Amino acid sequence: MKTLSKTAVSALALTMTLGLAGGAAAQEYTARIGHLERAEQARHQGLEIVAELVRERTDGNVVFELFPAGQLGQAREMNEGVQLGVIEGTVSPAAFLSGFNPAVSILDVPFIYPADREAANELRTGAFGEAILATFDEIGVNAIAIWPNGRKSFTSNKPLGSVEDFVGQHFRVMDSRVLISQFEAVGASAIALPFGELYTALQTGVVDGQENALDTISAMRYDEVQTNLLVSEHGANEDIVMFNPDWWNSLPDAYQTVIVEAFDEVRPQVEAIKEASQAASRERLEEAGMNIRDITDEERNTLREMMYPQARDAYVAQTGAVANTIVEVYEAEYERIVE
């Protein structure tokens, strides 16, 4: 057997080293991204598409490892994990971020978006959305996108046949001054209760009604303890895409651009998946016997005129100076796009 020369051995070793380095470079930047939804839901399906686009467009140099269903912790743990660098990324409901970044609570304000989806997306992706994302810089998180995740509607065991029917009713809300204010504005009252207690509270009459997206209403079987559903789409369920700044800043500019563009590109697909889920949930609720009514344009305008100012003022009062800036941007953009 012929023995390799010392030079040949050195050359082989160098080739192997370069080969291993090349293999390592194919996954040079790895981000663990956690979230709360199940793998079959819109958020995760969208993330899978984004991950594939990013992998392809960086030649495998950026890899997203996805962890759905709270595998990396609950919302607060993942948000703080991104802030501290324990994990690289998360996609978190804006409603769970008020204690983390109070400025994002403007998305709790009712009728913040118009009914038209294209107009809503122009607000989401324009100066208003950018103003919200910029507030995360101050708390050590790089927020790069806002994704739609459905809209809330009202249910109640009392009539919801008109705006006047809200008077005197009791609704469950998350612990949010903004959400409490929206009900006070129409003569109703709001009780902050944990989500896990809501079914029993509806069943026993502790509250008359609640607000959630249609797929949540269906999944939680609220049709078993609620009679009426007003498809109002008054509340925006929005997701914030966040990355750890140290990880993000370690990326070449070109890779950052690829990631931002991928999230923007996939946003309409995520919304389409969510809308399909809403439609299927509505069909199930109809079959279950709920009394379902769509809000009229006139009712929508009336409710917005009543709810928006009071909820907006509550947002400003609890958030401080930055809230005034965001509201100014929002109202200017809303007037430009919608009115």
Side-chain angles (χ1 to χ4, degrees), residues 14-24:
L14 178 60
T15 300
M16 292 176 67
T17 300
L18 290 173
L20 290 172

Side-chain angles (χ1 to χ4, degrees), residues 176-247:
S176 162
R177 183 62 210 165
V178 173
L179 297 178
I180 291 171
S181 294
Q182 79 175 9
F183 285 108
E184 291 176 344
V186 291
S189 60
I191 300 173
L193 291 173
F195 183 70
E197 297 178 13
L198 177 52
Y199 185 98
T200 301
L202 293 168
Q203 187 177 45
T204 58
V206 171
V207 291
D208 301 308
Q210 58 86 52
E211 56 172 9
N212 264 301
L214 299 186
D215 55 349
T216 300
I217 294 168
S218 178
M220 300 307 295
R221 302 288 175 173
Y222 294 150
D223 55 279
E224 297 174 350
V225 290
Q226 291 279 266
T227 305
N228 302 304
L229 166 59
L230 176 62
V231 182
S232 53
E233 296 190 336
H234 63 281
N237 287 331
E238 300 284 275
D239 285 345
I240 308 295
V241 179
M242 300 182 291
F243 286 96
N244 172 262
D246 290 338
W247 183 84

Side-chain angles (χ1 to χ4, degrees), residues 190-318:
I191 300 173
L193 291 173
F195 183 70
E197 297 178 13
L198 177 52
Y199 185 98
T200 301
L202 293 168
Q203 187 177 45
T204 58
V206 171
V207 291
D208 301 308
Q210 58 86 52
E211 56 172 9
N212 264 301
L214 299 186
D215 55 349
T216 300
I217 294 168
S218 178
M220 300 307 295
R221 302 288 175 173
Y222 294 150
D223 55 279
E224 297 174 350
V225 290
Q226 291 279 266
T227 305
N228 302 304
L229 166 59
L230 176 62
V231 182
S232 53
E233 296 190 336
H234 63 281
N237 287 331
E238 300 284 275
D239 285 345
I240 308 295
V241 179
M242 300 182 291
F243 286 96
N244 172 262
D246 290 338
W247 183 84
W248 183 260
N249 292 331
S250 74
L251 296 169
D253 290 346
Y255 290 173
Q256 293 179 358
T257 299
V258 164
I259 294 170
V260 171
E261 289 180 348
F263 274 100
D264 288 343
E265 182 178 326
V266 173
R267 182 188 290 107
Q269 293 172 262
V270 171
E271 186 163 34
I273 294 169
K274 188 69 177 182
E275 294 288 335
S277 175
Q278 298 301 294
S281 296
R282 175 172 179 148
E283 184 175 344
R284 197 203 73 76
L285 294 169
E286 286 175 342
E287 292 172 354
M290 285 197 84
N291 176 28
I292 300 177
R293 187 176 73 85
D294 291 291
I295 194 171
T296 67
D297 290 343
E298 182 181 359
E299 287 172 325
R300 180 182 176 87
N301 291 337
T302 299
L303 282 174
R304 187 177 196 275
E305 289 172 2
M306 296 173 73
M307 288 182 165
Y308 172 78
Q310 194 158 324
R312 175 203 59 202
D313 292 348
Y315 164 69
V316 171
Q318 74 178 20

